[in-house]
Structure formats: structure tokens, C-alpha cells
Amino acid sequence: MTGLPLAFSGYDWGRWLYELFGGYPTAGYIHRVSALITFFAGFLHFAWLFFNVSIKKKKGFFWGPNSMLLQPRDLFDVIADIKWFIGIGKRPNFDRWIYWEKFEYLSLMWGTIVMAATGLILWFPVQFTKIIPVSVASIFDIPGIALIIHRYEAILAAVFIFTIHFIHTHLLPEKMPVDESIFTGRITEAEFKHERLGEYERLKNQRQLDSFKVAPPSLFAKFLSRLIAVPLLITGLILVSLMVSALVVWAL
């Protein structure tokens, strides 16, 4: 909400949104603070991965049902899912991570690194141009290239999150208006069996299923989840509508 107005400054809604956050320089400060929070969260995740893999020597991060990396099974799940979607096959029994969740995770990690690198170049252009070899700096406009990459990576991420991610996560008929598990960390056993029957059966066969059973979320937790999530969902859908309308006007 503080970055898109810069990319769409030629439109009334972009200028209005920029002023809503205080205009210059306040909106820029909010943007940078939000970026630091985001990148700190990403750093904590990478540090957690490093600690578990390198220090604690835990297995399963790079292979197996609990790995977020793409594996041969995911290809078969994609094919089976397409066959089910067009009505010529059964719905695949997904395990811990579904292939589209892996795609989103990997794109998020890659996107976070790209946004951090290009954002820092834009934040400290003078310092970066001093450490870049003169031969490279004389050929390429590094801050200019960083601006283009930063802008379009942000637009791509926003459009993807506010459309595809929202549709198959929050806007499914059985989930609307929001998938509360993002806040409560819990789903019903019926949801578990429907969404990840492969994992459900695996844990059942390993006699580990009971260890995952917890009390259902309280009514207050469910209410608070919707109170927070629904406005964010609506905001995201409005933003992507404005971006799409701007791109259509630009194309015409």
C-alpha cells in the first residue's frame, strides 16, 4: 500500500493512496520500516532452517513428505489434479505440502531475496555504486535496473497473492470468508482428511495421528481471525482491481 502508489503515480488512486500514508517523506518511512520487518522475518526463517539442518542435523528438509522442495511426487500430483479438474480422474491424496504451496513458498523465498537486494540498492544507491566495479557501473545503470526489478517483482507478487493465493486459500466455498487456520493454527479433522488425505493416512498408519489432536479454537479466536483477515482480504482485492484497471488503461 506504500509501494504501489509509486509504481502507479500517474493515476488518481495512486496519488490518493500515497497521501493517505502521509505523502513524502512519511510514506517512505512506513515503506522502509515495513520492509525491515518483512526481511527480518525472512532472516529468522533462514536462520531457523540453518540451525535445524546444520546444527541439530534434522532430516527431512530436502526430501520426504515434510520437505518444501519439489519432488517427483509433485509432478504426479499436478497431472492427477488436472485430470480431476477436467473430470477424468479422482482427486489426488495430497500429503503434508501440496505442490502449489511449494511453488508459493519457493517463489516467496526467491522474491524476498530479490526485493531485499534491489530495495537496499535503492535505499543506499551511493554506497552501492561505490562498491560496484567501475567497468560494470559504466555499462549498466545499476540503480535504474534495481528500480525496474523491484517494481515489477512487487507488482507480480501482489497480483499473485491477491488473486491466485486468495482464491485457492481463502475464497474457496468451504473456507469463505477466510481460512482461519492462518491465525488459529488449527483445522478440523474433516478438513484434514479432505485436503491432505495422504498425510492423514500416513500419520494414522504410523500411530501419530492422536499426537496432533488439539482443542478447537475458541469463538473469540475465530471472531478475531475474521476481524483481522476480512478487511485485509477486501483491501487486497481492491488493490489488484485498481492495478488491473490501470494496466488495461495503459494498454489501450
Side-chain angles (χ1 to χ4, degrees), residues 38-39 41-49 68-69 101-117 153 157:
T38 302
F39 301 147
F43 168 78
L44 288 179
H45 178 67
F46 284 118
W48 177 82
L49 287 175
M68 289 293 289
L69 300 181
E101 295 173 333
K102 293 185 178 183
F103 279 121
E104 289 191 14
Y105 170 78
L106 295 173
S107 64
L108 172 64
M109 293 299 100
W110 166 252
T112 300
I113 294 172
V114 170
M115 293 296 288
E153 172 65 25

Side-chain angles (χ1 to χ4, degrees), residues 224-246:
L224 190 62
S225 299
R226 298 191 177 198
L227 184 65
I228 297 172
V230 171
L232 294 176
L233 283 167
I234 294 173
T235 301
L237 293 174
I238 291 174
L239 285 175
V240 77
S241 299
L242 292 170
M243 285 190 288
V244 170
S245 65

Side-chain angles (χ1 to χ4, degrees), residues 85-216:
F85 186 75
I86 61 179
I88 61 173
K90 296 191 303 182
R91 189 174 188 271
N93 296 331
F94 296 117
D95 209 294
R96 177 66 183 92
W97 300 111
I98 304 174
Y99 65 88
W100 64 71
E101 295 173 333
K102 293 185 178 183
F103 279 121
E104 289 191 14
Y105 170 78
L106 295 173
S107 64
L108 172 64
M109 293 299 100
W110 166 252
T112 300
I113 294 172
V114 170
M115 293 296 288
T118 55
L120 287 172
I121 291 174
L122 295 173
W123 195 349
F124 304 103
V126 175
Q127 289 78 0
F128 269 91
T129 52
K130 287 182 178 179
I131 63 176
I132 295 172
V134 177
S135 58
V136 175
S138 61
I139 300 175
F140 301 103
D141 175 14
I142 302 300
I145 294 175
L147 175 61
I148 294 173
I149 296 174
H150 193 81
R151 175 174 295 177
Y152 287 102
E153 172 65 25
I155 293 174
L156 176 64
V159 172
F160 181 89
I161 292 169
F162 299 150
T163 54
I164 297 174
H165 176 72
F166 275 13
I167 289 171
H168 71 62
T169 303
H170 299 295
L171 301 180
L172 294 173
E174 65 268 23
K175 297 288 187 179
M176 288 186 68
V178 64
D179 184 348
E180 297 169 358
S181 65
I182 184 177
F183 297 104
T184 65
R186 307 176 186 194
I187 59 174
T188 65
E189 188 172 2
E191 286 179 281
F192 191 11
K193 293 177 68 174
H194 173 69
E195 295 178 1
R196 305 167 201 277
L197 184 59
E199 183 188 18
Y200 181 88
E201 295 292 346
R202 177 169 56 82
L203 293 175
K204 185 177 180 181
N205 293 333
Q206 295 173 352
R207 302 183 183 278
Q208 297 181 13
L209 191 60
D210 288 341
S211 65
F212 289 90
K213 290 184 177 181
V214 292

Side-chain angles (χ1 to χ4, degrees), residues 48-49 52-53 57-64 66-69 71:
W48 177 82
L49 287 175
N52 280 278
V53 173
K57 305 295 184 181
K58 283 190 175 182
K59 307 296 183 181
F61 283 94
F62 300 106
W63 196 260
N66 293 316
S67 174
M68 289 293 289
L69 300 181
Q71 299 171 53

